[in-house]
Amino acid sequence: GAGVSQTPSNKVTEKGKYVELRCDPISGHTALYWYRQSLGQGPEFLIYFQGTGAADDSGLPNDRFFAVRPEGSVSTLKIQRTERGDSAVYLCASSTDLNSPLHFGNGTRLTVT
Amino acid sequence: QQQVKQSPQSLIVQKGGISIINCAYENTAFDYFPWYQQFPGKGPALLIAIRPDVSEKKEGRFTISFNKSAKQFSLHIMDSQPGDSATYFCAASKAGGYQKVTFGTGTKLQVIP
């Protein structure tokens, strides 16, 4: 079946602009995660959703970052007033339940100029 | 604070050889240790995982060795193939809950014919 889908695959934006990154998890997966991967580094946890609610947002770097999952399926990561340091690959992952393996999408490469 | 340290940063192995990647962790609360494989432009994919109640786990050509007292674990790839060329991440999390995974910095493996 279809895997985790992330759009757009690439996003170039100017410093100070607002961006939205979309994640379509695997159908039926209740758990959804956002991770951020900087160049040459491993992914870093940002936020976890169980259903519609953000159960753990402790990895969000500051209040410019926000994520929603209004209907318990698609999620959107929103970044306000982007900075050059926000440039990274933003990965979304989903799983069937808490203990099941993570299935990652291919990510959105965000470049802030 | 880097909670999972990984080495080497890069590795070149001849086809048929053994690839060895080492990791060490600090947080004794970690009790689930997955390894992920990532190809360029793709998201990480779970390769193999181990829990600390066993010292070794083998799946095909991939083996994890785990030393709980030393807080170290390693991945061995036997009979390495050019198709194994990818970046490998060790990781750690707490089992029994959602997957707030802490990743190592990655090892870029190149298997040459």
Side-chain angles (χ1 to χ4, degrees):
Chain A
V4 176
S5 175
Q6 291 188 248
T7 55
S9 56
N10 283 283
K11 176 72 176 178
V12 180
T13 191
E14 292 181 345
K15 179 177 178 293
K17 298 290 188 181
Y18 168 83
V19 296
E20 289 190 351
L21 312 179
R22 177 187 168 105
C23 172
D24 282 86
I26 294 172
S27 178
H29 282 196
T30 59
L32 186 144
Y33 304 77
W34 284 97
Y35 282 76
R36 178 168 73 172
Q37 186 172 21
S38 299
L39 189 64
Q41 299 296 314
E44 293 179 301
F45 172 86
L46 295 178
I47 187 169
Y48 155 67
F49 287 90
Q50 181 59 40
T52 60
D56 183 348
D57 64 358
S58 62
L60 295 178
N62 51 59
D63 61 6
R64 296 187 296 105
F65 289 74
F66 189 73
V68 296
R69 194 186 186 197
E71 298 178 357
S73 177
V74 171
S75 176
T76 304
L77 178 65
K78 308 180 180 191
I79 309 174
Q80 298 178 321
R81 305 183 303 281
T82 52
E83 299 177 357
R84 293 194 180 87
D86 299 335
S87 296
V89 175
Y90 289 82
L91 294 163
C92 177
S94 68
S95 65
T96 52
D97 55 47
L98 294 180
N99 294 313
S100 297
L102 297 179
H103 296 263
F104 282 90
N106 291 333
T108 293
R109 181 176 297 278
L110 175 66
T111 303
V112 182
T113 62
Chain B
Q1 180 186 8
Q2 187 182 0
Q3 294 195 57
V4 180
K5 296 182 179 179
Q6 183 171 349
S7 64
Q9 194 172 27
S10 63
L11 183 61
I12 299 175
V13 173
Q14 285 211 310
K15 178 182 175 182
I18 303 173
S19 304
I20 302 174
I21 304 170
N22 300 299
C23 285
Y25 63 98
E26 299 169 1
N27 189 343
T28 54
F30 289 146
D31 53 6
Y32 176 68
F33 301 90
W35 285 85
Y36 285 83
Q37 179 187 55
Q38 186 175 33
F39 293 102
K42 302 294 186 182
L46 179 66
L47 190 63
I48 186 173
I50 196 169
R51 299 191 187 278
D53 52 342
V54 296
S55 60
E56 186 174 283
K57 182 174 182 180
K58 183 177 181 179
E59 289 184 1
R61 296 183 294 109
F62 301 91
T63 300
I64 301 178
S65 297
F66 187 84
N67 185 331
K68 187 174 181 179
S69 61
K71 293 188 288 185
Q72 295 175 346
F73 57 112
S74 61
L75 176 69
H76 289 60
I77 306 174
M78 312 300 288
D79 187 27
S80 299
Q81 299 297 312
D84 296 331
S85 298
T87 299
Y88 292 81
F89 294 95
C90 61
S93 67
K94 301 175 189 178
Y98 59 95
Q99 295 199 47
K100 186 175 182 178
V101 181
T102 299
F103 285 82
T105 51
T107 296
K108 187 172 183 179
L109 171 65
Q110 184 181 0
V111 181
I112 55 177

